[in-house]
Amino acid sequence: TYYLYKQIGITLPRGTAEQKSVGTYVAKSDLQPGDLVFFGSGTGRITHVGIYVGNNTFIHASGSASKPDKVIVSSLSGYYGRVLLGARRF
């Protein structure tokens, strides 16, 4: 997210927790393409960030040992809907 936003002239903090503390709060019902969506654990610790692309979906890096550096589109329903901590607009 840091790199992509920089390409369009918006400088974000490097870390996801810091990114969630700037910008404008956006309710899930008001998401627009380009908004950052933040995910985390039950303690409220942010562990992941993506970019909302519309139709209840977002794009994010989803790496693992078997599929490193994979960029995918996922739904905000199900698992990601349960761990969504918030969204910001810049």
Side-chain angles (χ1 to χ4, degrees), residues 4-89:
L4 290 174
Y5 267 76
K6 187 174 181 179
Q7 302 311 300
I8 60 170
I10 299 172
T11 302
L12 297 177
R14 295 280 297 182
T16 56
E18 292 82 10
Q19 289 175 4
K20 189 174 182 295
S21 69
V22 296
T24 303
Y25 167 81
V26 178
K28 184 178 179 184
S29 61
D30 292 326
L31 285 170
Q32 294 179 7
D35 291 341
L36 295 186
V37 285
F38 298 90
F39 307 92
S41 65
T43 63
R45 185 175 149 267
I46 298 169
T47 58
H48 197 59
V49 62
I51 301 173
Y52 186 73
V53 295
N55 297 321
N56 205 43
T57 61
F58 69 103
I59 189 167
H60 60 117
S62 180
S64 68
S66 62
K67 296 179 182 178
D69 302 324
K70 185 176 181 183
V71 176
I72 62 173
V73 175
S74 296
S75 173
L76 281 175
S77 299
Y79 172 77
Y80 285 110
R82 289 190 302 276
V83 297
L84 179 67
L85 294 179
R88 298 299 237 193
R89 184 170 298 147

